[in-house]
Structures are given as structure tokens and as C-alpha cells.
Amino acid sequence: MVRLTTISNVLSGIGITVLGFAAIIKFMLQILDITGTLYPLYAWIVGAALLVVVLIMSSINTFTEKTGFVNPEDKLVSNMFVFLTAIFAILIFGYLDPVNPALQVSLFNIATMIVIAYVFLFVFVYFSGTITKGSEKGQIKELTSRFMLVSLLLGVVMAAVKVGFDWILTSVNFYEGAAVALGLFAVVLVVVTVMFLGRKYEPVGE
């Protein structure tokens, strides 16, 4: 039986391809100086619809057991594709509407905050063992003191990411370039995370 994660991965791949196709169509139309056509938007809508579908599938796989046991690594890879599809959908929609700089900035900020949230969760999960050590013994003061330092580290990292991409968007004054930089950063971040966590042993059970 084909697992829901496999179907989700295939649909995510199709969604990313369609979104990329929408950007390519828009780029070609700009080169040919053709305006007024909605084909790029139609392609984006298809990609966004696929995103909604895979988001529902991944939510079912991740938070429920309605489809049976799913290996954690399969969940990790599947949600990686969902995450990237969402980032690309947001950034490419901004590219399709170049006449509205305010919308582009808003979409860029939304995508940046999603990436920052990912950084937050990854760093927090990475240090969770250290933070919660001793909590089962009621050592709340120890736990809180560790969390203070980790939250400081998280704040610095998140602020650096935000300031960095704001600087890129402002300095290049070119949405497409800033969007590509953010998209590449998201890809590298997610792939490195999946590869790093994939090497860690995690007991699984049916």
C-alpha cells in the first residue's frame, strides 16, 4: 500500500515544480514584454492548492496515527518538502506582482518570519535536553536559569537572521534577488537539518 507520506512527497514535488514553472512563465513574459496575461497566476494557484493538500496530509501524518505507523524519518522528509513548498509559494507570489512593492515587502517578511520560526524550533529542540535536565526532580530554578541563556542565544540568532535579510532586501533593492537569497537559505537550512537529524539514532516502534 502506498503510504500517505509518499503521496504527499510526490504532490509536494509537483507543487514546487508548478510554482517554479509559474516564475519561469512570468520571467519569459517580462523578456517578451507581454503584459496582461494571467497564466503565471493560474500556475501559482495550482501550486498553492497542492500546498494546501499536502499540508493537510502532513498534519494527519504528523499529529495523528490515522494512517498507521509512520517512520519519523519519513515524516521529517515529508515535512521538509511541505516547508519548502510554503516558502516558495509565498516568495513566488510576490514575484508575480511586481507593481506592488508594499505587498512584496510584506510577503518577504512573512517568509522570513517562517524561516526564523524554523531556526527557533531547531535550536530549541537541539538544546531541549540540556534545558529540561533535572525538571523531573522539580529543579525549576535550574531549568529556568538554563532557559534564560538559551533564550538569549535564540534571540541573537533570530535577530541576526531578520536583520540580515532585511539588509539584503534594502541593499539590493531588488525583490527577486532577495527572494532567491531567502529561498536558498531555507533550502540549505532545511536540508542540513534533515541530514543532521537523520544521522541521529531515534528509537521507533509500531
Side-chain angles (χ1 to χ4, degrees), residues 143-204:
L143 186 150
T144 305
S145 64
R146 296 191 192 104
F147 184 76
M148 287 180 181
L149 291 182
V150 174
S151 64
L152 177 62
L153 173 63
L154 279 170
V156 171
V157 173
M158 293 165 62
V161 173
K162 176 62 176 173
V163 171
F165 282 107
D166 284 348
W167 177 83
I168 291 175
L169 181 61
T170 303
S171 61
V172 300
N173 196 25
F174 181 56
Y175 174 82
E176 289 81 355
V180 169
L182 179 57
L184 289 176
F185 178 80
V187 171
V188 172
L189 178 66
V190 174
V191 171
V192 169
T193 301
V194 171
M195 291 178 62
F196 173 76
L197 293 179
R199 297 173 59 184
K200 296 176 69 68
Y201 171 75
E202 181 173 313
V204 297

Side-chain angles (χ1 to χ4, degrees), residues 3-6 8 54-70 74-75 78-79:
R3 289 186 177 274
L4 195 61
T5 49
T6 303
S8 175
V54 297
L55 186 58
I56 294 173
M57 288 182 175
S58 292
S59 297
I60 294 173
N61 275 330
T62 303
F63 299 110
T64 73
E65 296 183 356
K66 292 183 178 180
T67 58
F69 172 76
V70 180
D74 293 337
K75 293 181 182 180
S78 178
N79 289 349

Side-chain angles (χ1 to χ4, degrees), residues 75-94:
K75 293 181 182 180
L76 194 63
V77 174
S78 178
N79 289 349
M80 174 190 73
F81 284 118
V82 176
F83 180 85
L84 292 177
T85 305
I87 294 295
F88 293 157
I90 294 170
L91 294 176
I92 289 175
F93 186 71

